[in-house]
Amino acid sequence: MPTQRKQVLVFRELPPAQLDRIARAHDVTVADPRQPGQRAAFDAALPTAQGMIGASFPIDEAVLARAPQLSVVSSISVGVDNYALAEMHRRGILLCHTPGVLTETTADTIFALVMATSRRLVELANLVRDGGWTRNIGEDLFGSDVHGKTIGIVGFGRIGQAVARRAALGFGMPVLYHARRPAEAPELDGHARQASLEQLLAESDIVVVTLPLSDATRGLMGAREFGLMKPGAIFINGARGAIVQEAALLDALDRGTLKAAGLDVFATEPLPFDSPLRTHPRVTALPHIGSATHETRQAMAALATTSLLQALAGERPAAVYDTGSASA
Ligand code: DGY
């Protein structure tokens, strides 16, 4: 028996093929509240919305309070820090997300930042572009090796392990990781060792954060943690900006404690024009592109759409986030 048509609010642009899949079965309103002129349509759709799909906009308690019919939100992201998890759990609203399909792409981005910061790729490419390559470069512009260096990975879920595979199996790097439990990753046996956060910070040449953002991880990297890092170490954040105290990071860079930072994520996004991180000579900043390839964004949209349709049909979607979990 066909499912009864429901009201779906799409709050971020979806590829046409996915929008069509939803529209064949349900009544759709497309309104991205971040786009000029669309906020009113978003607000107007909330009271009747039964399903929502989108990303990059906080679905907080105030938004949920105006959506009394809501039974499922499908996020086109793996991170769920934009959602009022406890309130969704209390109301029994399903939260779907997109684990798995973006793992390798996000690890590629993080590893690109490892390479870019260590070998000063952006700075040196700009030297060529700006006509500054007029003689052989000297030691002042040399980078540092990546292969063989110790990499410390804070958070060892799917993405952390994918970074570890690249580092250990591709670049011969010893891996330290900080996680609640020992990893079940046989391919990394003999290459990766669990460590306390303090030990990891003290021993790693390159520290990479891949943790989800939660109350437990917000502001985790502050002055104490940067102070524990090896002098001249490199810091990479491919997770969420709010895990890092940005003033403490800048201080560590300015004092020379850290050699460089590679950042794909920031406390405020898009990065404010006046942020010192935007122009800092030893920061490589990317506009949150962890999963931003054609292939992966298509796969994320398809998975989020499938989950939404399953939930609206009364089936249990494969990629449901446990809003009642401890990390919630
Ligand atoms: C994610 O999926 O959480 C990525 O950071 C994109 O937002």
Side-chain angles (χ1 to χ4, degrees):
M1 206 176 69
T3 327
Q4 195 195 354
R5 290 183 79 81
K6 298 197 167 143
Q7 300 298 319
V8 173
L9 172 53
V10 178
F11 63 98
R12 182 176 176 160
E13 196 183 351
L14 261 185
Q18 305 308 329
L19 201 53
D20 282 356
R21 289 174 67 201
I22 304 173
R24 277 198 295 274
H26 302 288
D27 297 335
V28 175
T29 302
V30 180
D32 181 343
R34 298 168 311 152
Q35 298 300 327
Q38 295 191 32
R39 180 69 204 225
F42 174 84
D43 286 341
L46 285 175
T48 52
Q50 292 160 294
M52 291 175 68
I53 181 168
S56 310
F57 183 78
I59 305 299
D60 55 18
E61 291 187 11
V63 171
L64 292 173
R66 286 181 288 136
Q69 314 285 330
L70 197 60
S71 65
V72 54
V73 181
S74 194
S75 186
I76 313 166
S77 68
V78 68
V80 293
D81 45 290
N82 264 329
Y83 301 90
L85 301 176
E87 179 61 6
M88 292 181 81
H89 184 64
R90 190 188 71 75
R91 281 181 47 188
I93 300 170
L94 278 184
L95 176 61
C96 306
H97 66 148
T98 60
V101 291
L102 48 62
T103 302
E104 301 299 331
T105 300
T106 306
D108 285 350
T109 304
I110 291 172
F111 218 82
L113 281 172
V114 170
M115 297 298 292
T117 47
S118 300
R119 299 299 306 271
R120 304 171 66 170
L121 296 183
V122 176
E123 181 187 352
L124 293 173
N126 283 339
L127 180 86
V128 177
R129 180 183 292 259
D130 297 343
W133 186 27
T134 52
R135 57 186 172 84
N136 288 347
I137 67 155
E139 271 187 43
D140 57 325
L141 292 176
F142 288 176
S144 50
D145 280 338
V146 173
H147 65 270
K149 292 290 172 67
T150 298
I151 189 166
I153 303 177
V154 185
F156 213 54
R158 292 182 189 83
I159 294 170
Q161 291 181 30
V163 172
R165 284 194 297 277
R166 284 158 177 73
L169 309 180
F171 286 75
M173 301 169 79
V175 175
L176 296 175
Y177 67 90
H178 178 61
R180 277 180 293 194
R181 283 177 288 279
E184 285 172 31
E187 71 278 22
L188 291 171
D189 280 354
H191 298 285
R193 183 162 53 86
Q194 193 176 12
S196 68
L197 182 60
E198 289 72 16
Q199 190 184 8
L200 179 151
L201 295 172
E203 293 181 23
S204 301
D205 300 298
I206 300 165
V207 170
V208 176
V209 174
T210 66
L211 287 166
L213 176 63
S214 69
D215 288 346
T217 63
R218 190 176 298 278
L220 177 80
M221 290 298 300
R224 184 187 86 93
E225 288 68 29
F226 290 121
L228 288 172
M229 285 174 66
K230 267 188 183 178
I234 287 176
F235 176 73
I236 307 290
N237 189 3
R240 285 293 184 268
I243 294 172
V244 174
Q245 297 176 33
E246 290 180 343
L249 171 61
L250 279 162
D251 192 50
L253 286 163
D254 288 338
R255 285 172 191 267
T257 323
L258 293 186
K259 182 156 53 194
L263 308 172
D264 186 39
V265 288
F266 300 88
T268 303
E269 295 180 3
L271 185 63
F273 190 77
D274 61 358
S275 168
L277 292 170
R278 190 177 66 82
T279 49
H280 197 288
R282 281 180 291 119
V283 171
T284 301
L286 298 178
H288 198 148
I289 59 161
S291 61
T293 63
H294 291 293
E295 300 90 332
T296 293
R297 284 291 169 87
Q298 291 282 350
M300 290 166 70
L303 175 57
T305 300
T306 298
S307 295
L308 175 83
L309 293 173
Q310 287 170 327
L312 290 174
E315 297 158 18
R316 178 90 185 155
V320 174
Y321 184 85
D322 178 6
T323 52
S325 65
S327 59

